[in-house]
Amino acid sequence: MLLVLSAEHRAHLGCLPRAGGAAVGELGRLALEQLRRGAAPRACETAARKLNIGVDTIQHGVEGLVYLLTESSKLMASILLIRNSGIHSRDISEVDFQDSIHVLGFSEELNKSLLQLYLDNRKEIRSILGELVPRLPSYHSLEWRLDVQLASRSLRQQIKPAVTMKLHLNQNEDQTAQVLQTDPATLLHLIQQLEQALGEMKMNHCRRIVRNMK
């Protein structure tokens, strides 16, 4: 499974061969520091003076490396999620990573340096990305009640059913509740739509899309 690079990110990564071997190592260090602590313009300026390279070149190289490393790690996370759902797919192996950057036309030595940078830091990168993902509430339990209005002041004979649900959620070790109300027809329609979506997930066409998503 290959990582697709946009024209902008290809251009940013294209400065790496011009920067030289020593600069690539420094740019890799700056990219990892940016992932850990955020953008550091002063660090880029210091590196530019040290390496005698333009600040724009340094910043573009760092941005390109950050994208390459994070998107490769996201692709790995997507594959793991697909596997847990029962849809089998390949890991983003060393060959996949090299094939992804092969389109850049880098030298074999530079490709090996980028590969090693990814392999040495992919666990930490996935850990950092995991901390940035918002923690969504998880399901705990559900209570429901069916109410039927048989008459009102304006209509003495009527049947007006309503389903009231109390959804209990876990969030940040606390429990919250949401009260929802709908009519049976709408609830049945939602159930049918969800069942249809689950059924489409098992189709070959949808599986191919999931296997190639980033």
Side-chain angles (χ1 to χ4, degrees), residues 6 19 161:
S6 67

Side-chain angles (χ1 to χ4, degrees), residues 6 15 28 35 74 81 91 94 113 121 137 147 175-176 185 199:
S6 67
C15 71
L35 283 171
K74 287 180 183 178
L81 180 61
D91 190 357
E94 297 182 18
S113 297
N121 299 280
D147 299 312
Q175 194 172 108
T176 61

Side-chain angles (χ1 to χ4, degrees), residues 93-179:
S93 65
E94 297 182 18
V95 175
D96 293 325
F97 185 89
Q98 289 178 321
D99 287 345
S100 297
I101 60 176
H102 178 72
V103 296
L104 299 172
F106 292 164
S107 65
E108 184 178 352
E109 181 180 358
L110 179 53
N111 286 341
K112 288 182 178 179
S113 297
L114 293 175
L115 173 62
Q116 197 60 48
L117 179 67
Y118 168 70
L119 295 177
D120 289 345
N121 299 280
R122 58 183 174 180
K123 290 184 179 179
E124 181 184 1
I125 295 169
R126 286 201 297 274
S127 177
I128 294 172
L129 294 176
E131 294 176 358
L132 298 177
V133 175
R135 296 184 179 180
L136 301 176
S138 61
Y139 171 83
H140 180 268
S141 61
L142 176 69
E143 301 176 59
W144 64 275
R145 184 182 72 233
L146 177 62
D147 299 312
V148 181
Q149 182 176 332
L150 300 177
S152 65
R153 291 183 179 180
S154 58
L155 293 173
R156 292 189 175 183
Q157 292 185 348
Q158 65 173 336
I159 298 178
K160 188 177 180 181
V163 179
T164 302
M165 296 169 285
K166 189 173 185 180
L167 181 62
H168 297 273
L169 304 170
N170 293 323
Q171 186 171 22
N172 299 328
E173 299 182 357
D174 296 324
Q175 194 172 108
T176 61
Q178 297 287 335
V179 178

Side-chain angles (χ1 to χ4, degrees), residues 185-205:
T186 301
L187 181 60
L188 180 60
H189 177 71
L190 290 174
I191 293 173
Q192 292 172 342
Q193 291 296 309
L194 289 173
E195 289 178 343
Q196 181 180 348
L198 290 173
E200 290 177 354
M201 282 294 296
K202 299 177 182 179
M203 297 174 60
N204 291 333
H205 176 67

Side-chain angles (χ1 to χ4, degrees), residues 27-101:
L27 292 176
R29 184 188 67 80
L30 291 173
L32 293 172
E33 284 299 310
Q34 181 166 316
L35 283 171
R36 297 182 186 114
R37 300 180 175 85
R42 291 185 179 180
C44 290
E45 293 173 1
T46 300
R49 289 194 298 268
K50 176 182 176 182
L51 300 169
N52 195 25
I53 299 175
V55 176
D56 290 343
T57 300
I58 294 291
Q59 290 177 337
H60 288 164
V62 170
E63 291 173 5
L65 285 175
V66 167
Y67 179 84
L68 179 65
L69 295 173
T70 55
E71 291 303 311
S72 297
S73 297
K74 287 180 183 178
L75 185 57
M76 166 70 81
S78 297
I79 293 170
L80 293 175
L81 180 61
I82 294 169
R83 285 182 171 175
N84 290 336
S85 68
I87 302 176
H88 299 288
S89 183
R90 293 195 299 126
D91 190 357
I92 180 169
S93 65
E94 297 182 18
V95 175
D96 293 325
F97 185 89
Q98 289 178 321
D99 287 345
S100 297
I101 60 176

